Amino acid sequence: MPKNFKIAGLGSYLPEKILTNADLEKMVDTNDKWITERTGIKERRIAKEGQPSSDLAVEAAKIALKNASLDPKEIDLILVATITSDMLCPSTACVVQDKLGATNAAALDISAACSGFVYGLVVCHSLICQGQYKKVLLIAAETLSKITDWKDRSTCVLLGDGAGAAVLIPSNSDKEGLLASTLGAMGSAGNLICLPGGGSLNPATHKTVDERLHYLKMQGNELFKLAVKSLVEAAKTVMQKAKVKPEDINLFIPHQANMRIINASATRLGVPMEKVFINIDKYGNTSAATIPIALDEAFRAGRIKKGDLILLDAFGGGLTWGACLLRW
Ligand code: ACO
C-alpha cells in the first residue's frame, strides 16, 4: 500500500472580470475605506453570465493535469468541493468529468463550504493510501457571485469567484505528503451561514424568490469569533499530531475570509506574517477555492520548495473546519 500521497500538479483559474471596491460603491451603501479596513479586500473576480462553476473547475483542472503530465483519461477519481454546484443534480464532478473527457473516473461532490478542499484532501489521502485510487483530481470551484445578494452590503463585498485544482498520486516515501490532519463540524451553528431556499426544506416558489431566500445569508460578527477559534485550534491540533512547532512551518495558508481573521489567527499561533500567504486583496473569499488557488499561486511564486512544511487551515459554512500539514 502507498505510504502517502503527493501533489503531482496544481492549477487555478480566476474569471477575467474584476469588481473593485469602487464598483461596489456604485451598487450598495459602502466605501473602499470600510471594505479595506474591515476585510482587507480591494477587488474580486466575477464569472460571466452562463459561466457555471464547472467551467471554472475545468480550466483549473486542465492546468493541474498539464503540470502533472497526465491525460484526463488516466484519472480514476474526480472530487469537486463546491457550494455553488451547476445544478442540484447531476453533481458538478460529473459535469466536469464529461467536459474533461475523463471517462474512466468516478465522480462526486463535497459540500463543506470553505473547508471543502481541506476535507477533500483528507478523503483523497484515505482513498489513495488504501490503494483504491491512483490518480485523483481534487478541484474546488465556486461562483459565489451567483448566490450573492447584491443588495446586502454586509455579504456582497466579501465574496468572489474562482477555482483551484490538484492532481494527487500515491507516494511510497514517508518524507512527503500529508503528515497530519484534523476535520471538525458544528451543525448546531449552521444557521450562521446558510442559503435557505431551493433545497428540500424550502423548494423554489414565487414566495422564496420574493423573500430573497436563494441568496447566501451570513451573521458576520458571530462567525468572526468562531472562525479565529476554529482556525487556531485546528492548526494547533495538527502541529501537535505531527510534533512540529510554529517556527517549523515554512508557509501558512489560511482560508481567505477576512484579513483581520488571518492576522488574529497567525498572531495566536505565533506564525510571523512573512510566512503567511495572502491573496484576499485580489480575490476576496472564494469559499472552498481559496486554499487551492493560494497553494497554486504560492507554488508558482517560488514560496514552496521541496521539503517545506505547509499548513493549510480552513473554516466555513456548516459550520466546518479543518487543517492539513503537508510536507512538500
Ligand atoms: N460597508 C459599510 N458599512 C458596512 C458594511 C459595508 N459593506 N457592511 C456592514 N457595515 C456596517 C454595519 O451595518 C455596521 O453598522 P452599525 O454599527 O451602524 O450597525 C458596521 O458596519 C459594523 O458592522 P459589523 O458587522 O459589526 O462589522 P464587522 O467588523 O464585524 O465586519 C464582516 C463584518 C466583514 C462581515 C466580519 O464580521 C467578517 O468578516 N466575518 C466573518 C465572515 C466569515 O468568516 N465568513 C465565513 C466564510 S463564508 C462561506 O463559508 C461562504
Side-chain angles (χ1 to χ4, degrees):
M1 289 292 170
K3 287 193 174 138
N4 216 315
F5 67 40
K6 78 170 172 195
I7 296 182
L10 289 167
S12 62
Y13 173 78
L14 281 309
E16 280 165 32
K17 186 181 168 189
I18 296 173
L19 187 75
T20 64
N21 291 350
D23 296 327
L24 279 166
E25 285 178 7
K26 294 176 205 139
M27 296 162 63
V28 284
D29 179 15
T30 190
N31 56 78
D32 175 54
K33 187 171 182 288
W34 191 96
I35 303 172
T36 306
E37 286 177 6
R38 295 289 185 135
T39 74
I41 302 166
K42 298 299 282 183
E43 55 189 48
R44 64 290 290 144
R45 300 299 179 95
I46 306 292
K48 281 186 256 183
E49 214 182 308
Q51 188 182 29
S53 295
S54 64
D55 279 4
L56 277 55
V58 164
E59 293 306 320
K62 280 182 184 166
I63 300 167
L65 285 165
K66 189 164 178 250
N67 287 334
S69 304
L70 285 181
D71 184 90
K73 293 208 169 21
E74 294 179 78
I75 295 294
D76 52 17
L77 178 65
I78 299 173
L79 272 86
V80 176
T82 185
I83 55 163
T84 46
S85 46
D86 291 17
M87 291 176 266
L88 285 177
C89 181
S91 70
T92 301
C94 284
V95 179
V96 168
Q97 189 238 31
D98 179 43
K99 287 182 179 173
L100 282 175
T103 44
N104 297 311
L108 84 151
D109 283 3
I110 296 180
S111 177
C114 307
S115 315
F117 188 80
V118 170
Y119 264 66
L121 274 180
V122 176
V123 172
C124 291
H125 180 258
S126 295
L127 293 173
I128 289 172
C129 291
Q130 284 165 15
Q132 300 242 37
Y133 294 94
K134 293 187 170 56
K135 285 165 186 155
V136 179
L137 183 54
L138 173 62
I139 311 169
E142 302 284 13
T143 47
L144 296 177
S145 64
K146 319 253 184 202
I147 56 164
T148 297
D149 185 345
W150 293 104
K151 291 186 174 172
D152 175 8
R153 68 176 183 173
S154 66
T155 55
C156 75
V157 301
L158 304 172
L159 309 171
D161 301 339
V167 175
L168 306 168
I169 58 171
S171 164
N172 284 320
S173 161
D174 49 15
K175 294 195 176 64
E176 66 184 351
L178 187 69
L179 300 192
S181 66
T182 185
L183 300 176
M186 196 203 298
S188 58
N191 61 314
L192 297 182
I193 311 174
C194 62
L195 197 158
S200 56
L201 179 65
N202 298 304
T205 60
H206 283 293
K207 190 166 175 277
T208 62
V209 173
D210 290 345
E211 290 176 354
R212 305 182 82 73
L213 298 188
H214 299 270
Y215 296 121
L216 199 68
K217 320 274 177 204
M218 201 187 285
Q219 292 178 42
N221 258 324
E222 289 304 309
L223 282 168
F224 194 101
K225 288 173 246 165
L226 287 170
V228 176
K229 187 170 175 282
S230 315
L231 288 167
V232 170
E233 279 176 12
K236 281 186 176 168
T237 301
V238 289
M239 284 195 274
Q240 272 162 13
K241 279 190 184 180
K243 298 186 175 54
V244 302
K245 298 192 187 70
E247 53 269 32
D248 301 325
I249 305 289
N250 297 99
L251 190 65
F252 175 35
I253 303 185
H255 176 51
Q256 314 277 312
N258 185 315
M259 194 58 217
R260 290 184 295 139
I261 294 177
I262 297 174
N263 279 333
S265 307
T267 305
R268 286 184 201 187
L269 285 170
V271 178
M273 286 314 284
E274 61 269 20
K275 287 188 176 179
V276 183
F277 192 83
I278 295 155
N279 61 9
I280 189 171
D281 51 323
K282 295 189 288 181
Y283 309 133
N285 179 354
T286 58
S287 189
T290 64
I291 290 203
I293 292 170
L295 195 58
D296 179 47
E297 289 198 338
F299 183 69
R300 282 189 286 120
R303 290 188 66 180
I304 301 178
K305 288 177 234 47
K306 185 92 190 126
D308 275 0
L309 204 51
I310 315 296
L311 174 60
L312 310 180
D313 202 2
F315 164 87
L319 302 179
T320 56
W321 57 86
C324 285
L325 202 54
L326 300 174
R327 176 76 70 188
W328 208 260

